[in-house]
Amino acid sequence: MASTTSTPSSSSETPETYDHAGKPVTHHRYRINGIRLHFITAGSGPPLLLLHGTPKNSFYWYRVFPLLTPYFTLVAPDLRGFGYTDKPPSTEGYTSEANADDVVELMGMLGFGRFYLHGEDRGGDYAYAVAAKYPERVRGLSIGEMVLSGFGLEETSFWTKENVERQYNQKGVWCWHLGFFYIPHVPEMLIQGREREFWEMFMKQECYNPTAISPLALNHWIECVKQPGCLRGILETYRAGLLNGEIHQRMLREGGKLKMPVMTIGAPEFFGPQVEECIAKVAEKVARAELFEECGHSLALEKPERLARCLREFFLGEEGK
């Protein structure tokens, strides 16, 4: 097993990501689709693209990078609106299709015609869009802790007695924040100036073990959110949610179900088995379905060893064991 001892833990240290040899990753900024996109790379072997969720960025993967770099060339972008990537005006698009176009162009610029793909949370929405629009580019797909827009996500935000109770009986989660983030202007007014209080509550509430959100990571993501345009950019990804649903349904109608190998990963503290149930609607077959017990929404922070092992085994077979 690769070591993670090189990962910093103090809240005062620089939020850097390291490979299995303790070497810092390489940072890049490429101009793609009218924005400047920040991403990190490390490792060797077949390319694996990692897509993060809210309100995170490429640093989200810092615990799994050392476990995967002996096996894969890892590429982890800050998605548009997040981290150190540009936060364009909302008229320029925060849809899943726009994000899919961003990352596919990025992989092409890096010389990767085909690649493996893993997305979590909002990154899972975008990973589906990549696989559906560019199936010839995706060798294998893994989606963790996401119910897709257009295929069940909207229903999780309904304020009903059944949905509220789902949080307490391990049948799923009530995504109260979807409607809140969708409202124009009001979330910005209420969150600005209270970024730490809001996002610490938001991320830790989603975890089985709240201490999985380290002070180092928390401080980094909150500082990123305070950048000009970042909070608005994050919220625009939710305001695109209904349009994402239409886009995904169109992709399914036009391209049919996904044919590449697909793995789903859920955690009972959040979406759990709903992930597999959802992806079964858009894939010909879910080749592998995992449930991470005693785990919440942030798989790469709460169960990095198990996540890395699943990705290695699913994408590489015996070679990755």
Side-chain angles (χ1 to χ4, degrees), residues 105-215:
E105 182 170 338
L106 168 63
M107 297 303 277
M109 293 175 71
L110 292 172
F112 299 134
R114 301 187 71 220
F115 50 87
Y116 296 112
L117 175 58
H118 172 71
E120 291 185 26
D121 183 42
R122 182 63 53 185
D125 236 23
Y126 302 157
Y128 169 71
V130 172
K133 186 173 181 179
Y134 303 97
E136 73 284 355
R137 304 292 299 275
V138 180
R139 298 176 63 177
L141 172 66
S142 170
I143 292 181
E145 269 301 290
M146 188 61 184
V147 173
L148 300 180
S149 301
F151 295 98
L153 181 64
E154 295 81 1
E155 287 76 7
T156 67
S157 65
F158 294 168
W159 187 34
T160 65
K161 184 174 185 290
E162 178 186 8
N163 272 352
V164 173
E165 289 178 346
R166 293 169 81 183
Q167 297 188 110
Y168 303 102
N169 58 19
Q170 293 191 340
K171 291 185 178 179
V173 66
W174 172 42
C175 294
W176 59 269
H177 59 284
L178 297 181
F180 174 56
F181 288 170
Y182 187 87
I183 301 170
H185 314 307
V186 174
E188 288 94 329
M189 176 186 69
L190 296 176
I191 295 173
Q192 284 174 346
R194 304 177 181 87
E195 290 89 352
R196 171 167 292 277
E197 292 86 347
F198 180 82
W199 292 113
E200 181 173 10
M201 175 279 298
F202 182 85
M203 286 185 282
K204 290 187 175 182
Q205 185 184 59
E206 295 175 338
C207 293
Y208 184 86
N209 176 5
T211 65
I213 308 295
S214 71

Side-chain angles (χ1 to χ4, degrees), residues 65-103:
F65 253 69
L67 305 172
L68 292 175
T69 49
Y71 304 90
F72 298 97
T73 299
L74 299 180
V75 180
D78 295 354
L79 297 165
R80 60 168 58 203
F82 293 83
Y84 298 121
T85 289
D86 284 353
K87 293 83 180 165
S90 58
T91 53
E92 297 185 20
Y94 283 87
T95 65
S96 57
E97 189 166 22
N99 278 274
D101 292 342
D102 287 348
V103 298

